[in-house]
Amino acid sequence: MANHLLHQERAAAPWIAAALAATAAALILVDVVTGWGLLGWGLLAGPFVLIVAAFFWGMARYYTIRLTPSRLIVGRAGYAPHDFDPDFGVDTDQCLTDEERAIIESPMPPKGDAEVRLAGGGFGRPIGTKLLVLRLMGDGTRLVVATRHPARFGSLLGDWLVRESTEPT
């Protein structure tokens, strides 16, 4: 039951990246095998299609959210319930200052001493997402999760934090 999925969001399906990579390989292969039957356009278009495939692969990896009873996985980062402050709970981005919001919106990595960071390994909030804020135990850094379903995910996340903090260890 530990792997039961409570919530999942994907920014892009991984099969899109796989299909584009296969298309790029086919373009290059057909161009070379047919004796330049595509007049070199396969070799020219193939790398471009691979770059687009890499973009979709990154989107599928960095902005994916998975919530299980024991883990919150955002992109390439995983968190356990005890990593968060249950007293802070889950808040909207209204608790962020303008400077902190600018850090989250920036496509550049934040400075090492920033008290807020975007979860998952990506930089900048994806278009069409809303922000939910959690506070990490220990240093009090606020972790911002970009979600397309803030009401549903926020409710599930709040219940997840409360349930895990009240369960006997």
Side-chain angles (χ1 to χ4, degrees):
M1 196 69 164
N3 292 332
H4 175 70
L5 201 57
L6 301 175
H7 180 80
Q8 181 172 5
E9 291 181 36
R10 288 189 174 168
W15 61 265
I16 294 173
L20 286 170
T23 301
L27 280 172
I28 293 169
L29 188 63
V30 165
D31 205 13
V32 172
V33 169
T34 60
W36 306 104
L38 298 177
L39 303 176
W41 286 105
L43 285 178
L44 184 63
F48 175 74
V49 175
L50 279 174
I51 291 170
V52 175
F55 169 78
F56 279 102
W57 176 82
M59 287 292 293
R61 177 167 181 192
Y62 290 117
Y63 296 114
T64 295
I65 299 171
R66 295 184 62 191
L67 181 65
T68 68
S70 61
R71 301 288 288 169
L72 168 64
I73 302 164
V74 183
R76 60 184 178 181
Y79 305 95
H82 60 80
D83 293 336
F84 300 106
D85 182 357
D87 295 330
F88 182 83
V90 181
D91 206 345
T92 64
D93 65 340
Q94 299 302 313
C95 71
L96 299 175
T97 65
D98 290 340
E99 293 82 22
E100 291 170 333
R101 194 172 282 109
I103 289 171
I104 296 302
E105 299 287 340
S106 173
M108 302 302 291
K111 295 178 181 168
D113 60 348
E115 293 182 7
V116 63
R117 65 184 170 93
L118 187 62
F123 305 118
R125 177 176 61 95
I127 295 172
T129 59
K130 302 291 185 194
L131 304 176
L132 296 177
V133 182
L134 302 156
R135 186 168 53 201
L136 294 172
M137 294 295 279
D139 64 357
T141 299
R142 283 179 286 173
L143 188 71
V144 179
V145 179
T147 177
R148 296 188 187 284
H149 308 286
R152 180 177 187 274
F153 182 54
S155 173
L156 285 170
L157 200 53
D159 293 345
W160 181 73
L161 287 173
V162 170
R163 187 188 77 239
E164 292 297 325
S165 68
T166 59
E167 283 185 359
T169 55

